[in-house]
Amino acid sequence: MRINSSLRIIIAFLLTLPLSGICQVAGDIIIKTANPQGWILKTQSSAYQIIVTKEGVVKPVFYGPVEQAEFAQKNARWYEGIEEVPVRGGLPFKTPMLEVVFSDQVRDADLVFTNAEIITVDGRPTLKITQKDRFYPLEVVSFTRILAEFDILEKWTVVKNTGKKGNIKIDNLQSASIVLPVDQYILTHLAGKQKHELQLQETLLTPGLKTIQNKAFKANFNPPWFLVRPQSADASTGPAYFGSLHYSGNWVLNFDRSYDGNLQILGGINFWDTAWNLKPGTTFETPKFSVGFTQNGSEGAAQSLSAYVRKTILPTTHRNDLRPILYNSWFATTYNVNEQQQLELAKIAKEIGIETFVLDDGWFKNRTDVNSGLGDWEPDKKEFPSGLPAFIKKINDMGMQFGIWVEPENVTVNSDLYRAHPNWAINFPNRQGDANRKILNLAREDVYQYLLKSLSKLLKENNISFVKWDQNKYLSEPGWPEAPAEQQREMRIRHVANLYRLVDELKKQFPQVWFESCASGSGRIDLGMLSRMDQAWASDNSNAIDRIFIHYGYLSLLPANTLVSWVTHEDPHQPTSLEYKFDVSMNGVMGIGYDITKWSDAEKEIAKRKIAEYKTVRPLVQQGTVYRLVSPMTSNRSALQYVNEDASSAVLMSYNLGAYMGGSQLYVRNTPNVIKLQGLKNDQQYKVQKLGDTQNQTAIYKGDFLMNVGMSWPVYGANKSQIVLIKAVN
Ligand code: DGJ
């Protein structure tokens, strides 16, 4: 539904008038209602309403446009069948978010409202609703934290065994379940494989269950994110719901559409082959599930989520800092690393304007190929005869910071670590699995302590400013033979908890170090990881054209200051010019992964110029709002625009993916000849200037003109690109 802006203002004003039975608390954000007892949680554009029935059942009754909150309040009998915490128990016509087994083997839960409080969690109003089982010692607390300006609700659940004896076995506990009003919905999500990450998928949700999930620790390049819009809504400008999970282990998102048209969405830890034994007096807390609503379609959803991540999720240590321009050695030297060769790369890196030199894989002892040395986190003396600290000093003396690659969670069978502790790897006896590489069992305290000690030592003894934290293995044979039987299926959850503990502890000890998440590319870019890592490596596919598609998917859920993109010589197909590669790597955090010792002087000059250009637009790219103006999915062109907070500067990045005449409406892929900008001020004059234009031509246009009439497409010819600066002038 689209409502024009004056009507929205009137409705917003009407909503401020007292409604019968409504008194306002926590500002305008959480409104307590009477008759039925309940709450309306408001963000800028959305209202989420919960009631407690006469029988004490807690039910969500509305989630949608804030303008409809009053109507929803009057019609609060919707969704009769689904509770705020749907459980296994009663008639099985919903997807449960809580499935437990009590010690007498009763497998049905039956929750009743106990009390509710409005509290503040990290400065944000939060509704806390407590329920308990009508008979058994189980308490269930649901939290909804409101981030009104981002139109986001963070939802999570804590369960407690309040009994004195007997475990409660948790077969399944999701972070939250939400219910959308009756409609036909289209789901958008991402899927991919290595080097083909983050490809957008769309499907109509027909009655039944649609699941997207991760069962192997490393997601299949499908981050835990979704976008759902009514089929009748405009994809890029209409209402849409979206969400993202804060979890890096096995996760699941379920979309259960009833025949009557309600859509239930659940998300959280994937309890497939997993169970948790809740001992008396203990609690289990789920990760957060952030859900949102926007009136501005996929772009509104992407902008809300990105701003939310950039301003509230990324680690505070570097949240507001500009990300340095990186050099990374991987494609240049893979496992064959030595000091001399790295210094040669570093010398050129410095010359062209690189700020952080990252030594990727191959630097530690026993690491001769992919199947050796993992786990032995000691610098290789043969490769660095005068020691790693002395090598790093040379890099620092050149004026660059130094970064290093690690893959702490994994071990190769050919390593000192595995030879000493074969049982530290996750394994099943009598099952061979991968003969070369294993995942370490971080559920074990000794493994945790080993990794903490060796990584702290590495960071303490060396002036390391940046860590690329990789994970390249899918989980199989998920056994923990030494653990008591009742703990064996807890391994995955305990492993992830200790992974988080390890990163958190290292960050506490070394607060200035930057962290980059990598899992063979963007295999782990959930909000759990992104609350600990400053940025992420998007793909080992660095072909510039392919990257345009990967970046388009990436920017659906994460901000550009986390998107690391290198210029490399990797051109599996569609070779592009060096300028074009640089222009694509400007989409996020620029890096270079070339063997730059092979560059000619002319190529070095291009690199110098492009890096200097990137430095001028970096604050806009990394801290501005991104508008994906032209999609490479539907066009043979692509355009991104970044606008700063007060709309005084913007940068347009335009790319041709091929060259066709265009003009016929029968062409499947369109060729826009005019580009309309967004996010500018209507009455403001802007100077428009193509970066790198040797004639330094500029033109002045009003924001209104640039947005509603548009400017000519800035570049012609196959695989050509143009960066355009737009600056407010008086
Ligand atoms: C996989 C990563 O995606 C690459 O960028 C590189 O770091 C290699 N691992 C190193 O083994």
Side-chain angles (χ1 to χ4, degrees):
M1 193 190 66
R2 295 172 72 179
I3 295 181
N4 73 35
S5 55
S6 45
L7 187 57
R8 284 176 77 160
I9 293 165
I10 295 168
I11 295 172
F13 170 71
L14 289 176
L15 280 171
T16 63
L17 300 177
L19 301 169
S20 70
I22 296 185
C23 66
Q24 300 200 342
V25 281
D28 271 353
I29 305 234
I30 301 183
I31 300 167
K32 203 164 184 300
T33 65
N35 195 22
Q37 176 188 0
W39 304 267
I40 300 175
L41 315 183
K42 281 165 73 177
T43 69
Q44 217 162 253
S45 324
S46 74
Y48 182 88
Q49 189 183 3
I50 305 175
I51 59 159
V52 183
T53 67
K54 286 197 294 298
E55 297 76 30
V57 181
V58 183
K59 287 185 174 176
V61 289
F62 178 74
Y63 189 25
V66 70
E67 294 84 357
Q68 290 174 20
E70 183 190 357
F71 173 79
Q73 153 71 6
K74 289 191 181 140
N75 292 275
R77 57 187 178 75
W78 289 359
Y79 320 139
E80 276 161 358
I82 303 181
E83 303 82 13
E84 176 72 359
V85 180
V87 294
R88 177 169 66 196
L91 289 170
F93 296 137
K94 66 215 157 192
T95 300
M97 62 169 270
L98 175 67
E99 294 172 77
V100 288
V101 186
F102 298 106
S103 51
D104 62 0
Q105 300 309 308
V106 166
R107 299 191 305 278
D108 270 14
D110 185 3
L111 300 183
V112 62
F113 176 72
T114 313
N115 63 63
E117 274 175 89
I118 293 161
I119 57 172
T120 302
V121 176
D122 291 336
R124 300 281 181 168
T126 303
L127 178 63
K128 175 182 173 197
I129 298 178
T130 304
Q131 302 183 70
K132 63 173 190 202
D133 189 89
R134 288 179 200 266
F135 183 85
Y136 291 96
L138 173 70
E139 182 184 85
V140 178
V141 187
S142 323
F143 293 87
T144 307
R145 180 168 178 255
I146 303 159
L147 294 102
E149 73 273 34
F150 305 108
D151 286 319
I152 284 179
L153 307 175
E154 287 177 348
K155 291 176 81 60
W156 71 101
T157 306
V158 177
V159 297
K160 182 170 186 186
N161 180 343
T162 53
K164 296 236 164 0
K165 59 176 178 25
N167 289 353
I168 297 173
K169 180 164 166 258
I170 302 175
D171 280 343
N172 175 29
L173 173 59
Q174 297 296 285
S175 300
S177 152
I178 58 168
V179 185
L180 309 193
V182 172
D183 214 325
Q184 291 272 14
Y185 288 102
I186 307 263
L187 166 69
T188 307
H189 64 103
L190 290 156
K193 60 180 185 175
Q194 196 194 8
K195 300 196 179 187
H196 293 245
E197 289 89 341
L198 309 177
Q199 297 306 300
L200 286 160
Q201 317 291 322
E202 271 201 2
T203 182
L204 177 69
L205 292 167
T206 53
L209 195 63
K210 164 86 182 170
T211 300
I212 54 176
Q213 63 182 329
N214 168 16
K215 295 198 289 186
F217 269 0
K218 198 161 66 120
N220 230 339
F221 305 97
N222 56 334
W225 166 83
F226 73 86
L227 178 78
V228 160
R229 67 171 200 274
Q231 192 179 23
S232 57
D234 184 281
S236 47
T237 58
Y241 299 84
F242 54 93
S244 210
L245 274 169
H246 303 228
Y247 198 60
S248 317
N250 288 353
W251 53 262
V252 64
L253 287 169
N254 272 313
F255 303 83
D256 188 352
R257 186 184 183 269
S258 72
Y259 181 73
D260 290 334
N262 285 135
L263 177 64
Q264 189 196 355
I265 303 176
L266 304 99
I269 294 177
N270 193 343
F271 271 77
W272 169 79
D273 190 35
T274 289
W276 189 270
N277 286 286
L278 197 61
K279 299 202 174 77
T282 64
T283 56
F284 184 96
E285 178 166 343
T286 70
K288 285 181 180 154
F289 183 23
S290 292
V291 293
F293 173 82
T294 175
Q295 293 278 23
N296 301 316
S298 53
E299 290 316 289
Q303 287 165 4
S304 286
L305 254 182
S306 301
Y308 159 73
V309 172
R310 183 159 55 82
K311 295 180 179 174
T312 76
I313 299 294
L314 292 178
T316 49
T317 39
H318 291 299
R319 187 175 287 166
N320 300 317
D321 298 345
L322 291 176
R323 276 60 184 142
I325 302 169
L326 307 171
Y327 176 81
N328 180 293
S329 66
W330 173 243
F331 287 123
T333 55
T334 61
Y335 305 102
N336 303 315
V337 167
N338 67 60
E339 175 167 345
Q340 194 45 40
Q341 148 230 64
Q342 295 301 315
L343 288 173
E344 278 162 26
L345 289 165
K347 187 170 160 283
I348 296 161
K350 177 61 197 169
E351 212 180 292
I352 58 178
I354 293 292
E355 295 160 334
T356 298
F357 183 90
V358 183
L359 176 57
D360 206 284
D361 203 341
W363 59 269
F364 48 99
K365 77 174 185 192
N366 301 328
R367 185 63 162 175
T368 46
D369 59 28
V370 67
N371 291 326
S372 63
L374 271 194
D376 301 341
W377 300 112
E378 299 267 342
D380 190 328
K381 294 215 174 68
K382 291 195 293 302
E383 291 164 350
F384 297 95
S386 45
L388 197 56
F391 165 69
I392 296 174
K393 182 159 185 315
K394 290 181 190 153
I395 302 284
N396 293 155
D397 289 348
M398 290 182 193
M400 289 182 293
Q401 302 217 307
F402 177 78
I404 206 153
W405 174 96
V406 288
E407 189 176 345
E409 295 145 81
N410 294 333
V411 63
T412 47
V413 168
N414 180 10
S415 67
D416 292 348
L417 182 67
Y418 189 82
R419 280 183 283 272
H421 302 284
N423 58 340
W424 280 13
I426 295 172
N427 74 93
F428 274 138
N430 312 315
R431 296 285 173 258
Q432 166 72 36
D434 186 332
N436 296 314
R437 290 189 293 162
K438 312 273 179 196
I439 299 186
L440 285 171
N441 186 351
L442 252 172
R444 295 176 60 121
E445 187 61 19
D446 44 9
V447 172
Y448 169 83
Q449 291 301 343
Y450 168 78
L451 287 177
L452 179 62
K453 200 167 150 211
S454 40
L455 295 172
S456 308
K457 182 167 180 280
L458 179 68
L459 294 176
K460 204 173 291 161
E461 289 177 357
N462 298 284
N463 190 21
I464 292 171
S465 312
F466 177 102
V467 170
K468 177 179 172 187
W469 187 298
D470 206 348
Q471 204 293 71
N472 291 299
K473 187 136 178 52
Y474 292 113
L475 176 65
S476 56
E477 301 78 44
W480 181 6
E482 299 79 19
E486 64 167 33
Q487 250 183 34
Q488 300 229 350
R489 287 189 185 204
E490 296 178 357
M491 185 274 293
R492 294 179 179 91
I493 294 176
R494 290 178 181 275
H495 176 98
V496 175
N498 265 348
L499 167 64
Y500 286 167
R501 182 175 155 219
L502 178 63
V503 181
D504 292 346
E505 183 54 37
L506 289 170
K507 288 177 75 73
K508 208 162 93 200
Q509 286 182 26
F510 306 96
Q512 288 321 312
V513 174
W514 293 83
F515 282 82
E516 177 174 297
S517 174
C518 175
S520 319
S522 50
R524 195 159 62 179
I525 55 167
D526 59 275
L527 302 191
M529 223 8 118
L530 267 299
S531 66
R532 296 173 168 85
M533 305 265 157
D534 305 290
Q535 55 193 45
W537 173 228
S539 177
D540 276 347
N541 180 345
S542 50
N543 174 269
I545 303 261
D546 292 350
R547 271 301 188 124
I548 286 174
F549 288 83
I550 293 170
H551 293 180
Y552 197 83
Y554 189 103
L555 293 169
S556 305
L557 67 154
L558 289 173
N561 69 343
T562 65
L563 190 176
V564 180
S565 180
W566 311 333
V567 171
T568 77
H569 52 261
E570 296 283 297
D571 265 333
H573 53 110
Q574 307 194 64
T576 51
S577 68
L578 190 54
E579 286 91 338
Y580 194 92
K581 291 170 200 246
F582 269 103
D583 284 353
V584 171
S585 85
M586 290 204 200
N587 291 174
V589 180
M590 180 182 271
I592 297 184
Y594 240 104
D595 182 355
I596 50 183
T597 58
K598 297 211 172 79
W599 266 350
S600 65
D601 287 346
E603 285 171 319
K604 282 189 230 166
E605 281 314 307
I606 293 172
K608 256 189 228 172
R609 175 165 58 82
K610 286 290 173 186
I611 289 174
E613 281 177 11
Y614 177 69
K615 286 179 181 165
T616 66
V617 298
R618 173 163 52 179
L620 269 172
V621 172
Q622 295 195 5
Q623 294 169 340
T625 300
V626 183
Y627 294 84
R628 293 175 300 175
L629 298 182
V630 176
S631 162
M633 315 290 164
T634 51
S635 167
N636 61 31
R637 297 186 159 167
S638 172
L640 298 171
Q641 185 198 345
Y642 303 73
V643 184
N644 71 353
E645 204 125 318
D646 66 0
S648 60
S649 306
V651 60
L652 168 71
M653 304 193 180
S654 54
Y655 306 95
N656 294 347
L657 309 180
Y660 310 94
M661 281 187 301
S664 164
Q665 89 263 29
L666 299 182
Y667 282 3
V668 177
R669 299 174 74 75
N670 79 61
T671 303
N673 288 318
V674 166
I675 175 101
K676 293 182 183 172
L677 303 187
Q678 290 186 28
L680 304 178
K681 286 190 198 139
N682 273 324
D683 292 331
Q684 176 66 56
Q685 303 267 18
Y686 290 94
K687 185 173 83 181
V688 175
Q689 184 179 18
K690 292 182 178 177
L691 274 188
D693 174 18
T694 45
Q695 288 161 26
N696 218 6
Q697 291 177 23
T698 60
I700 309 274
Y701 300 99
K702 262 175 94 176
D704 179 28
F705 180 88
L706 290 170
M707 293 191 290
N708 296 311
V709 179
M711 53 189 265
S712 311
W713 187 261
V715 61
Y716 290 92
N719 299 354
K720 288 276 173 12
S721 55
Q722 180 64 56
I723 310 290
V724 182
L725 256 188
I726 298 116
K727 275 205 170 292
V729 286
N730 293 323

